[in-house]
Amino acid sequence: MSRHILYTIETIEPVIISTYRDDVNSNETLPYITGSSVRGVIIDRLIKAGKNNDIKFLLDGSVLFSNLYPYKNEIYFIPAPISLFYDEDDDLKVYDFSCGRQKKDRRYKSLPSECFVHVSDDILSIYTPEMREYFHHQRRLKVEEAVKSYSNVFRYGAIKEGETFYGDVYCNDDYIEIVKGLMSDGDNVFLGRGKYAGYGMCKINIKGIFKDSYEYMHEVYGLDWESIEEGKPLRMTFLSNAILYDRYGRNTVKIDNELVSYLLKVDTEIIDAYFSTEIVGGFNNKWGMNLPQSNAIKAGSTFVLRSSQKPDINRLYKLMDEGVGERREEGFGRLIFNPNHKEELEKEKIKWERKRYRDNELPDMSEEERKNVEVILKRIWHERIKRKIISYIASLAFDGGDISNSQLNNLRLQLHKRRFGNGSELYDEINNYFKGLNKKYLDQYEKTFIGLKKARVKEFIDDICGKSENQFTNLLGVEKVKIKDISPSLSEEELTGFKVILIDKVLERLYRKNKGGE
């Protein structure tokens, strides 16, 4: 028999959880604690106890560690489903489009991308863990200590101390006592980065062990099982990013009727979908290297399913217990069916705007100090934009005829000529290029479509070129960094440079598609 160990982790010090380790001096944290970070602590404890040969069960998928999400006022929060939208004219009204279609006479806006939600009695509670910026001098990669010969200032974005998160470990009776013993109640552990610099200390508290999956799922997630009994459509919501591979072993973000029928073991079709994708990675401390990056279905993605017959309830519990896809032992691929949502929800009347990176109660700054902070914030701003461009490109779909690689290379060459110019020069350069094409090559571009709106290549590029800074960053979903009244902005040359990077990456994907890389 398999069981769930439900536990909480309270941050005693600021905590930095990141999936990449590009630069030891600058990093942003995730707003939650990954299952892989807790799993790493357990493995480390076994190794230090001299039980190297006993860690196999933690590596072969016998024990599954979920991600840890906010736990506040006895409420278990989950990543906000992408199907949730609020009314722009009345932001206390929230609608779940997976439970019903939107009304055409209203304007809707999606919830903040990194918030967490809980529904009880048709009341939606929204919470975002509090984050802070912490500044420090340059550090060495290995020991993370300050370098005295440098005066450069860098920053960490970290989860603030005093936040609480919940998660579970799913394993069978053979390992339950071993795992519980390695997670002693009230024990202190160090998670994430900066362990030698005043970051990462947390306290573990075990809340209980559940023998029954039904009891655990309904206690934590509050599922709507009645609608399944009534034969209504099934709603499948991912609680964590899911890394999937197709039958040929290729990484994919495609969820189709064949896949959901295989998962549920009955003929099933997707009748509605609200999803996004994300590039995920990781870091192996033993190797000192980043893990391979993969495209993943983003946490919060929701699919509405209709089956030819009522799904087997035990099968649904098995999927919720074990998840789907790769790296499930690290928290990836977790999902639930039919969270207790209704078409219309009333948002709890609390201030729910995202609290990330507040002013940190900074004192008044001199002019030189303000300039230094502006430089740091601009670095952060540029770093965010670059990462969001990668995620945005990964989410695009391509359809239609093939453009010859020679034409793609020629267009990329024209783009790079104006990388450091202004927007109008870039627009003119691209227009002149397309005007000079003969009908054969122009038809290749006309028959190739990009994105959900099926825009032709020229239309897509024109749309990107014409966007202002706010429109461009909104398209990518990048949030501005601000400390006090200091907030960076992009010069026209910088904005043009990022537009060129985005367009070039799109053309690169078309090039790889021709080569059979996608």
Side-chain angles (χ1 to χ4, degrees):
M1 178 182 290
S2 296
R3 309 186 186 197
H4 290 273
I5 302 176
L6 177 63
Y7 67 101
T8 62
I9 283 183
E10 180 184 354
T11 59
I12 298 174
E13 296 176 340
V15 175
I16 306 164
I17 303 291
S18 60
T19 56
Y20 304 97
R21 189 167 289 196
D22 298 328
D23 180 4
V24 72
N25 289 292
S26 299
N27 216 317
E28 291 189 52
T29 185
L30 295 170
Y32 58 89
I33 296 173
T34 59
S36 61
S37 62
V38 180
R39 175 171 167 263
V41 169
I42 302 303
I43 292 174
D44 183 62
R45 288 186 169 186
L46 271 178
I47 292 174
K48 286 180 177 178
K51 300 180 179 179
N52 299 44
N53 297 328
D54 296 339
I55 66 173
K56 183 179 178 181
F57 75 96
L58 292 169
L59 304 174
D60 64 6
S62 299
V63 180
L64 307 179
F65 291 82
S66 76
N67 289 339
L68 291 92
Y69 297 127
Y71 177 70
K72 188 80 171 177
N73 299 330
E74 301 295 322
I75 295 175
Y76 300 96
F77 289 87
I78 65 172
I82 297 175
S83 58
L84 289 180
F85 293 79
Y86 67 88
D87 192 330
E88 282 193 338
D89 298 320
D90 181 4
D91 69 356
L92 290 180
K93 293 291 186 183
V94 178
Y95 301 87
D96 190 337
F97 290 167
S98 69
C99 299
R101 302 303 300 173
Q102 57 181 297
K103 298 175 176 61
K104 293 182 179 180
D105 60 338
R106 292 177 178 166
R107 297 181 302 164
Y108 300 98
K109 192 170 182 179
S110 60
L111 294 181
S113 60
E114 294 181 14
C115 71
F116 298 84
V117 302
H118 174 84
V119 175
S120 178
D121 299 325
D122 298 342
I123 301 295
L124 179 74
S125 301
I126 302 177
Y127 183 72
T128 303
E130 189 166 354
M131 313 287 188
R132 288 290 177 89
E133 290 280 2
Y134 295 89
F135 297 93
H136 62 84
H137 292 286
Q138 184 174 355
R139 300 176 186 279
R140 292 195 182 99
L141 179 61
K142 294 296 183 185
V143 299
E144 298 187 357
E145 63 182 19
V147 179
K148 296 178 181 178
S149 59
Y150 291 88
S151 59
N152 293 341
V153 177
F154 293 87
R155 64 89 183 95
Y156 282 153
I159 299 171
K160 188 175 177 290
E161 65 276 9
E163 294 287 341
T164 305
F165 300 83
Y166 77 94
D168 78 271
V169 181
Y170 182 69
C171 60
N172 61 39
D173 287 341
D174 295 337
Y175 307 119
I176 196 81
E177 291 301 325
I178 299 175
V179 174
K180 184 181 175 183
L182 292 167
M183 299 173 63
S184 303
D185 194 32
D187 202 5
N188 288 342
V189 296
F190 284 88
L191 300 175
R193 296 187 55 180
K195 300 181 182 68
Y196 302 103
Y199 297 89
M201 182 184 287
C202 302
K203 183 170 72 174
I204 291 180
N205 288 296
I206 296 177
K207 289 184 66 66
I209 299 177
F210 292 79
K211 300 179 182 179
D212 187 275
S213 292
Y214 175 90
E215 181 185 1
Y216 172 76
M217 293 296 172
H218 288 268
E219 164 77 16
V220 176
Y221 302 122
L223 306 180
D224 176 17
W225 238 222
E226 293 180 3
S227 59
I228 298 178
E229 298 293 341
E230 295 170 0
K232 294 180 180 178
L234 195 64
R235 289 173 284 117
M236 179 175 71
T237 299
F238 282 89
L239 294 179
S240 61
N241 295 332
I243 304 172
L244 305 178
Y245 288 86
D246 63 18
R247 65 177 68 181
Y248 305 108
R250 298 176 301 191
N251 181 213
T252 181
V253 290
K254 181 180 180 182
I255 293 186
D256 55 17
N257 294 343
E258 181 182 1
L259 176 60
V260 294
S261 297
Y262 170 78
L263 292 176
L264 298 181
K265 304 302 182 186
V266 295
D267 289 336
T268 305
E269 63 173 337
I270 300 172
I271 59 176
D272 207 355
Y274 303 88
F275 73 99
S276 183
T277 61
E278 188 166 271
I279 294 179
V280 298
F283 189 83
N284 188 300
N285 280 314
K286 183 70 174 177
W287 299 340
M289 295 175 62
N290 285 315
L291 297 177
Q293 295 182 4
S294 303
N295 286 323
I297 301 293
K298 190 174 182 179
S301 294
T302 300
F303 298 83
V304 185
L305 314 175
R306 181 188 290 126
S307 301
S308 59
Q309 60 191 69
K310 190 176 84 170
D312 179 20
I313 298 297
N314 292 327
R315 179 63 185 169
L316 298 183
Y317 278 122
K318 182 178 177 63
L319 290 171
M320 290 191 290
D321 285 336
E322 299 179 359
V324 297
E326 299 295 312
R327 296 173 62 181
R328 293 178 295 116
E329 65 277 6
E330 300 176 38
F332 288 89
R334 287 295 184 97
L335 52 83
I336 55 173
F337 292 97
N338 284 31
N340 190 25
H341 294 183
K342 299 294 188 294
E343 179 180 352
E344 184 173 327
L345 301 167
E346 189 80 19
K347 184 155 61 66
E348 190 175 18
K349 295 181 180 179
I350 58 174
K351 185 178 180 181
W352 62 281
E353 287 80 5
R354 191 167 177 239
K355 298 183 287 186
R356 187 182 179 91
Y357 304 138
R358 291 178 11 181
D359 291 349
N360 224 7
E361 300 174 351
L362 289 174
D364 293 335
M365 292 177 281
S366 67
E367 193 61 34
E368 183 178 355
E369 288 171 330
R370 288 181 65 88
K371 288 180 180 178
N372 289 335
V373 171
E374 285 174 1
V375 170
I376 293 171
L377 293 185
K378 196 146 197 172
R379 286 178 185 168
I380 300 170
W381 182 227
H382 285 197
E383 180 184 317
R384 286 187 179 180
I385 293 174
K386 289 175 184 176
R387 292 200 175 188
K388 287 293 185 178
I389 285 176
I390 294 173
S391 299
Y392 177 75
I393 297 299
S395 69
L396 291 176
F398 298 89
D399 191 21
D402 293 329
I403 304 171
S404 69
N405 285 339
S406 62
Q407 287 302 314
L408 290 172
N409 284 333
N410 286 339
L411 180 52
R412 294 177 72 184
L413 196 60
Q414 300 304 315
L415 279 173
H416 283 277
K417 286 182 181 179
R418 297 300 177 188
R419 180 168 182 177
F420 301 105
N422 57 49
S424 60
E425 290 175 348
L426 175 64
Y427 184 83
D428 291 341
E429 191 75 40
I430 292 171
N431 269 329
N432 291 335
Y433 170 79
F434 279 99
K435 286 178 182 178
L437 291 177
N438 61 36
K439 187 176 186 306
K440 172 187 173 182
Y441 295 123
L442 198 58
D443 283 347
Q444 292 178 1
Y445 283 106
E446 288 289 317
K447 293 177 181 177
T448 302
F449 302 93
I450 301 173
L452 296 176
K453 295 182 179 179
K454 301 288 185 182
R456 292 181 173 85
V457 176
K458 176 67 164 55
E459 295 170 346
F460 177 84
I461 294 176
D462 285 347
D463 181 56
I464 296 298
C465 289
K467 289 189 180 299
S468 65
E469 177 186 331
N470 286 338
Q471 291 170 333
F472 184 74
T473 53
N474 287 340
L475 173 71
L476 300 176
V478 190
E479 294 189 44
K480 273 210 169 186
V481 189
K482 183 178 180 181
I483 293 181
K484 284 207 164 182
D485 60 339
I486 306 173
S487 182
S489 61
L490 298 175
S491 67
E492 187 171 4
E493 290 76 16
E494 290 170 337
L495 178 59
T496 300
F498 283 123
K499 289 177 179 179
V500 169
I501 291 173
L502 189 152
I503 297 169
D504 182 67
K505 292 294 184 184
V506 169
L507 298 178
E508 183 184 352
R509 274 196 65 185
L510 287 171
Y511 183 93
R512 293 205 312 268
K513 182 172 177 284
N514 291 344
K515 290 283 190 180
E518 292 191 354

